[in-house]
Amino acid sequence: MKLRNRGYTGALTDAVSPRETENRRLARRMAAEGMVLLRNRGGVLPIPKGRKIALYGAGAQVTVKGGTGSGDVNSRDSISVRQGLEEAGYQLTSIGWLDEFEQIYHDAREHWRKKIFDSVNAPGVNGNFFYAYAMNPFIIPCGSPLDTKAACADGADIAVYVLSRNAGEAVDRREEPGDYYLTEEELALLRQISKAYRDIVLVLNTGGPVDLTFTDEIPNLSAILLMGQAGQEGGNALADLIAGDVVPSGKLTDSWAFRYQDYPSAEYFGSRWQDGWKAEYREDIYVGYRYFDTFEKPVRYGFGFGLSYTRFELVAGTISANGRMISVDVQVKNIGSQYPGKEVVQLYVSCPQEQLSKEFRRLCCFGKTDLLQPGQSQRLNLSFDAASMASFYEERGVWALQAGQYGIWIGNSLESAALAGTVVIGQPIQLSQCDHICPQQETIPLLRPDPDRMMARQQIWQAQSAKMPVCKLDAGAFVAETVDYTPVGADPGDPAWQLVSKLNDDQLLALSTGRMKAQTGELGNAGWTVPGAAAETENLLACSPWNIPSIVLADGPAGLRLKNHYRVVDGQLEVGTVQDSLENGFFSSDEPKQGTSYYQYCTAIPVGTLLAQSWNLPLVEEIGKMIGGEMLEFEISLWLAPGMNIHRNPLCGRNFEYYSEDPLVSGAFAAAITRGVQSMPGCGTTIKHLACNNQEEKRKGSDSILSERALREIYLKGFEIAVKTAQPMAIMTSYNMVNGIHAANSYDLCTKVARDEWGFAGLIMTDWTTTTTSTAGECTAAGCLAAGNDLVMPGKPEDHESIRTALADGTLSRLQLLRCIRNTVRISQLSNQVEDQKCYRSLYPNLPVYMECRADL
């Protein structure tokens, strides 16, 4: 086996590389594809190029490209809305206001920078710079009031107002002005703008929902465009949509309620509920649209909604079954007369309500058309496994399809979806019998719809379906799965097992954690060979006869998070700090430095929610391949992405990193980006955070209390889809507890579910510093390994002591340790740190393609 000869990563020149240029084009295309047009009264959009536009709002001058923390990317630059509109040829009449805001913003940033340094040694922070940074999020200033008289005379009749919000790791959003609500200053500015211009276009440069009540109070607020946090090409992509060079085709992957209090988890979320340590999932399976649709609660903008500059006609055809697969043909036609466009077709299913309370409809399939010219049609075939219609019967521990009628709904949003026919199952079908997992240790009340009302609604659609297409599903096409939960023993036929069984205890301990640095508590700066990398595994055995290379891990999921600039002094890599890795080195020392400079400019892609709002799986797969190419260039083996936790509540601080409130959307897009990344040799994704990581505050010990059914149907389902359809190289567990057990110490999650039920074949790792004791109790390194969590990151001496003690007292067996190290070794030797790529599939016939074994493993 020949290992990669590592050198310094990056380029010796600051010049823009061809790779950067090409990747920016794809990032721009991706950003435009995921933006959502929410309102367009009078067809105010698109705006012809060359027109005068008055541009206001914080995000106009300093556009937020993505969230903070590990989800940030230190890209070369980021295109603001102002830059994008100017480059597109618009005449901006508000230059004075924008220039004045630039100084206001600069002063606010410097004040904030000082505040971070002053708070490093505050109680609860204890010298950890990352937490000082995370716990003091930057509040974007509003800007100056408008000179209404001058504005009325500037020659523009359209104003664009960019509302920006930011969020990030370790702290949740707030139901307060300046976050979920507008401030009085923002509202006053908007009212001034409304008096000076005929039409206002509101651009939402936010990572998630904000309260839009104010949009009902401004009569000339004619258009609303959800820009999201669109990466470094966001300003250009927005200009493409405003100009009509790209026609909006994005759709929401979340429900936008009229009021925050309308969300079913509003009263029980985070620090609003008791002390915040207990997260009671009282809404059960009724998350997002499953709640609003089932309980007939109106929303401002519903799941799957999004407008276009053109119109489409959808005609559903016959429904057919081939074994387990159900298919519906849908003819889509662009019936507009001026603009080409793409349409998203969504298929929802209503399941029988007689035996088990269920949501009224659930998403089971979707597809997106090509770009259709006016009058052009395309036939989409929506095909899905009937298992998507199954429910988990908690008392019996089975996944099953109830006998009865299943309604098939087709539309370009949930609200517009119309009944298209039914699938009939003549007898109950059991899909699998499961062991119970993560038992509740305390009872909580669970939300349930009125059964009489649900039956009445079912009878209505069943009556409507009398003359519609019917498809009968053959129960004989299904064979009930039997899950084997037998603990895996020694595997002497596995070359990786043969190798690790020869290691002594010290070598095994070294491979059980990341390679430790002095600043083991610093998140985002635990890498050794690639500056700014999140961490690296041990390299002591990266030599003959072991040939176990260390692998470098980089944060995500909006691109690779590395330092964009570092130095080598006298042949030694400069010792960096976490300050250097945050926000393009904004917190770095201003002292001049010597040495040879290297540059690592990575591409900042749109945040996860915007990726999913494209509903374009092939395009997201292209994005994954692009990320994989950068991983090869910068010698990154594992990307700590995609994030795919469910948007349980809009105030979760990291929702921007995640895809949706729906598990199918989450799983499908995680699988797509994984397939793209892993199409590049030796590059892998790390899907995260398993599981129920749905709040940031008190994340190292908050206890997610929920039913097994909700856990399986909502919070694990996306992970299951990603594992079964893409086999990511790695999974990261979460900080929180699930029903009283830390996720990283949960044998049920790491082994019984991920490996035994889903067939996961890769590496399971902890989140960073998971084993730091919290007020909720200790999560031990030995407990992580015993649970099947293979790698404790980033590693600290106490973790080794925990494992050594557990081996001595028998609470961790050597066999358990060997299984974990085998998984780590296998991934390291299948990573891009190995140059000779020749593989022999026959050695590992049951592993996914990316894990084919090298000849000399």
Side-chain angles (χ1 to χ4, degrees):
M1 171 181 290
K2 184 179 180 182
L3 305 186
R4 173 178 284 185
N5 184 18
R6 284 179 170 160
Y8 296 118
T9 56
L12 287 167
T13 173
D14 194 29
V16 176
S17 69
R19 183 266 304 167
E20 284 186 81
T21 301
E22 186 60 32
N23 287 0
R24 292 186 78 130
R25 292 194 189 101
L26 181 57
R28 179 174 179 170
R29 179 180 160 208
M30 182 73 254
E33 189 94 4
M35 295 181 187
V36 183
L37 182 62
L38 298 175
R39 178 190 292 182
N40 196 21
R41 293 173 181 167
V44 66
L45 294 176
I47 304 171
K49 291 181 179 178
R51 287 275 298 276
K52 290 184 177 181
I53 292 177
L55 181 63
Y56 299 99
Q61 183 70 21
V62 187
T63 308
V64 178
K65 76 177 191 300
T68 62
S70 64
D72 192 15
V73 175
N74 296 313
S75 56
R76 178 183 291 272
D77 56 23
S78 181
I79 304 300
S80 69
V81 172
R82 174 181 179 174
Q83 290 173 284
L85 293 178
E86 286 179 332
E87 182 65 26
Y90 292 102
Q91 301 178 59
L92 302 185
T93 64
S94 53
I95 298 299
W97 189 95
L98 295 169
D99 288 345
E100 184 178 354
F101 177 82
E102 179 71 24
Q103 186 60 49
I104 293 172
Y105 179 84
H106 177 269
D107 293 345
R109 289 274 290 177
E110 288 303 315
H111 176 77
W112 173 64
R113 186 176 189 269
K114 183 178 184 301
K115 180 181 179 182
I116 301 301
F117 281 104
D118 289 345
S119 64
V120 168
N121 295 314
V125 178
N126 301 323
N128 188 314
F129 189 90
F130 181 84
Y131 278 106
Y133 166 80
M135 300 306 293
N136 292 280
F138 178 65
I139 305 301
I140 302 172
C142 174
S144 301
L146 188 66
D147 183 339
T148 308
K149 185 176 180 180
C152 290
D154 69 7
D157 55 13
I158 294 178
V160 173
Y161 182 87
V162 186
L163 176 69
S164 290
R165 291 292 186 266
N166 214 341
E169 190 171 3
V171 62
D172 286 318
R173 295 178 57 197
R174 301 293 186 189
E175 191 199 354
E176 298 173 354
D179 194 337
Y180 191 76
Y181 300 105
L182 268 64
T183 64
E184 285 300 322
E185 292 79 7
E186 289 171 324
L187 288 169
L189 180 57
L190 268 168
R191 293 187 185 109
Q192 290 176 321
I193 292 170
S194 72
K195 295 176 181 178
Y197 302 96
R198 185 195 67 204
D199 292 295
I200 301 175
V201 175
L202 174 65
V203 174
L204 300 173
N205 176 213
T206 65
V210 292
D211 182 77
L212 294 178
T213 302
F214 70 93
T215 64
D216 300 327
E217 303 165 359
I218 302 175
N220 58 338
L221 202 160
S222 304
I224 304 175
L225 186 55
L226 175 57
M227 176 189 189
Q229 295 172 342
Q232 70 184 90
E233 282 292 315
N236 283 331
L238 180 73
D240 291 339
L241 264 68
I242 287 178
D245 292 343
V246 175
V247 173
S249 64
K251 306 280 185 177
L252 294 177
T253 58
D254 292 307
S255 306
W256 284 49
F258 279 105
R259 305 179 312 139
Y260 172 74
Q261 289 75 20
D262 291 341
Y263 291 100
S265 60
E267 184 180 349
Y268 310 106
F269 179 75
S271 295
R272 292 173 56 92
W273 174 240
Q274 297 178 352
D275 59 4
W277 287 109
K278 288 188 177 181
E280 297 186 359
Y281 289 44
R282 297 186 177 194
E283 70 278 9
D284 203 38
I285 67 166
Y286 301 101
V287 179
Y289 74 86
R290 284 170 163 80
Y291 167 74
F292 294 109
D293 190 40
T294 302
F295 288 80
E296 301 177 271
K297 187 83 171 177
V299 294
R300 181 174 293 276
Y301 298 113
F303 182 83
F305 174 79
L307 301 174
S308 174
Y309 295 153
T310 188
R311 296 180 298 119
F312 297 91
E313 178 184 70
L314 277 59
V315 179
T318 59
I319 304 172
S320 60
N322 182 8
R324 296 168 57 112
M325 301 303 295
I326 299 170
S327 297
V328 182
D329 285 334
V330 181
Q331 192 75 14
V332 184
K333 183 177 182 179
N334 182 347
I335 58 174
S337 59
Q338 186 174 0
Y339 296 102
K342 300 177 182 179
E343 182 60 292
V344 177
V345 183
Q346 302 158 40
L347 186 154
Y348 299 87
V349 172
S350 288
C351 300
Q353 296 286 339
E354 284 82 0
Q355 296 178 6
L356 182 69
S357 175
K358 305 180 184 73
E359 67 275 78
F360 182 64
R361 289 179 290 190
R362 73 174 69 162
L363 182 72
C364 282
C365 192
F366 61 89
K368 191 166 190 176
T369 68
D370 300 329
L371 186 67
L372 301 180
Q373 298 297 323
Q376 187 178 2
S377 298
Q378 181 180 352
R379 184 178 70 87
L380 288 182
N381 179 262
L382 301 184
S383 181
F384 64 99
D385 192 320
S388 299
M389 305 188 302
S391 297
F392 185 74
Y393 290 77
E394 191 168 334
E395 288 186 3
R396 293 183 286 140
V398 299
W399 284 98
L401 288 160
Q402 181 182 326
Q405 279 184 292
Y406 291 74
I408 305 295
W409 305 72
I410 301 291
N412 63 1
S413 69
L414 176 62
E415 183 181 16
S416 73
L419 192 66
T422 58
V423 172
V424 175
I425 298 178
Q427 64 187 66
I429 300 173
Q430 180 172 314
L431 300 178
S432 62
Q433 176 75 56
C434 303
D435 277 4
H436 289 293
I437 58 167
C438 304
Q440 282 184 246
Q441 298 182 17
E442 56 184 286
T443 302
I444 59 173
L446 297 178
L447 184 65
R448 288 290 180 266
D450 179 359
D452 293 336
R453 177 58 185 162
M454 295 302 292
M455 291 303 300
R457 294 177 72 189
Q458 176 173 285
Q459 290 167 5
I460 291 171
W461 69 253
Q462 286 179 340
Q464 292 173 344
S465 70
K467 295 183 180 180
M468 292 181 176
V470 178
C471 169
K472 293 185 178 181
L473 202 61
D474 180 10
F478 297 83
V479 177
E481 177 188 7
T482 300
V483 181
D484 184 3
Y485 294 101
T486 305
V488 176
D491 188 3
D494 180 338
W497 187 273
Q498 296 169 12
L499 178 58
V500 300
S501 62
K502 298 174 183 176
L503 301 179
N504 61 40
D505 284 358
D506 289 338
Q507 291 169 326
L508 291 172
L509 285 172
L511 293 175
S512 68
T513 69
R515 186 182 180 193
M516 290 182 280
K517 296 183 74 171
Q519 316 104 310
T520 53
E522 293 282 26
L523 280 72
N525 188 52
W528 285 75
T529 58
V530 181
E536 187 172 331
T537 58
E538 185 55 67
N539 73 337
L540 290 175
L541 301 178
C543 57
S544 182
W546 311 115
N547 293 319
I548 303 173
S550 64
I551 58 177
V552 181
L553 306 89
D555 276 326
L560 298 181
R561 183 174 173 273
L562 304 175
K563 288 180 63 175
N564 59 18
H565 174 223
Y566 69 94
R567 293 175 178 83
V568 174
V569 182
D570 296 330
Q572 296 295 317
L573 190 66
E574 68 175 349
V575 178
T577 64
V578 70
Q579 292 97 301
D580 302 325
S581 298
L582 294 171
E583 303 200 14
N584 282 12
F586 178 70
F587 297 96
S588 298
S589 169
D590 296 328
E591 296 178 6
K593 296 182 179 180
Q594 305 298 318
T596 303
S597 291
Y598 287 81
Y599 300 91
Q600 301 180 126
Y601 290 115
C602 300
T603 306
I605 62 173
V607 297
T609 303
L610 193 148
L611 295 180
Q613 286 173 181
S614 73
W615 297 70
N616 190 331
L617 294 172
L619 182 57
V620 170
E621 192 165 332
E622 282 188 57
I623 289 289
K625 187 173 183 179
M626 180 199 83
I627 296 296
E630 293 191 354
M631 292 172 69
L632 287 177
E633 179 177 340
F634 297 114
E635 302 186 12
I636 302 298
S637 299
L638 285 177
W639 186 36
L640 302 178
M644 52 182 305
N645 293 108
I646 293 296
H647 293 174
R648 176 183 175 234
N649 183 285
L651 298 187
C652 175
R654 293 179 81 173
N655 273 355
F656 67 92
E657 294 189 32
Y658 311 141
Y659 294 119
S660 175
E661 66 190 24
D662 180 75
L664 172 62
V665 171
S666 300
F669 279 95
I673 206 164
T674 292
R675 286 191 294 270
V677 168
Q678 295 184 175
S679 69
M680 306 305 286
C683 298
T685 62
T686 307
I687 60 174
K688 64 184 187 183
H689 310 84
L690 189 74
C692 301
N693 190 132
N694 304 110
Q695 72 179 54
E696 283 299 295
E697 292 181 1
K698 301 182 178 177
R699 59 183 182 169
K700 286 192 174 181
S702 63
D703 190 4
S704 298
I705 303 170
L706 73 169
S707 71
E708 183 181 1
R709 182 187 177 197
L711 177 62
R712 288 183 176 277
E713 290 193 15
I714 305 296
Y715 298 99
L716 294 180
K717 179 56 69 173
F719 288 94
E720 178 184 2
I721 292 169
V723 168
K724 288 185 174 179
T725 62
Q727 271 292 352
M729 276 194 179
I731 291 174
M732 182 189 292
T733 51
S734 56
Y735 287 127
N736 56 282
M737 296 190 288
V738 178
N739 288 333
I741 304 296
H742 281 278
N745 278 185
S746 174
Y747 184 84
D748 285 359
L749 292 175
C750 298
T751 299
K752 293 176 72 172
V753 171
R755 297 204 184 276
D756 298 338
E757 295 183 16
W758 301 343
F760 177 65
L763 163 71
I764 301 179
M765 71 180 76
T766 71
D767 204 341
W768 270 226
T769 67
T770 288
T771 54
T772 300
T773 301
S774 75
T775 57
E778 189 176 15
C779 176
T780 67
C784 291
L785 301 182
N789 208 324
D790 306 306
L791 184 63
V792 179
M793 297 300 292
K796 57 182 180 178
E798 293 88 341
D799 294 331
H800 287 180
E801 288 306 311
S802 168
I803 298 167
R804 195 182 299 276
T805 299
L807 284 172
D809 65 22
T811 54
L812 176 70
S813 70
R814 185 177 178 81
L815 177 62
Q816 289 173 313
L817 178 59
L818 288 174
R819 282 201 300 263
C820 294
I821 306 307
R822 184 273 306 271
N823 293 329
T824 301
V825 167
R826 181 187 281 167
I827 289 297
S828 69
Q829 293 190 314
L830 294 169
S831 74
N832 53 21
Q833 298 308 313
V834 177
E835 286 193 355
D836 45 334
Q837 297 290 318
K838 185 176 180 181
C839 302
Y840 286 92
R841 180 68 176 167
S842 60
L843 289 181
Y844 292 115
N846 297 321
L847 293 183
V849 172
Y850 77 80
M851 297 181 74
E852 291 177 345
C853 180
R854 269 82 186 182
D856 50 352
L857 179 59

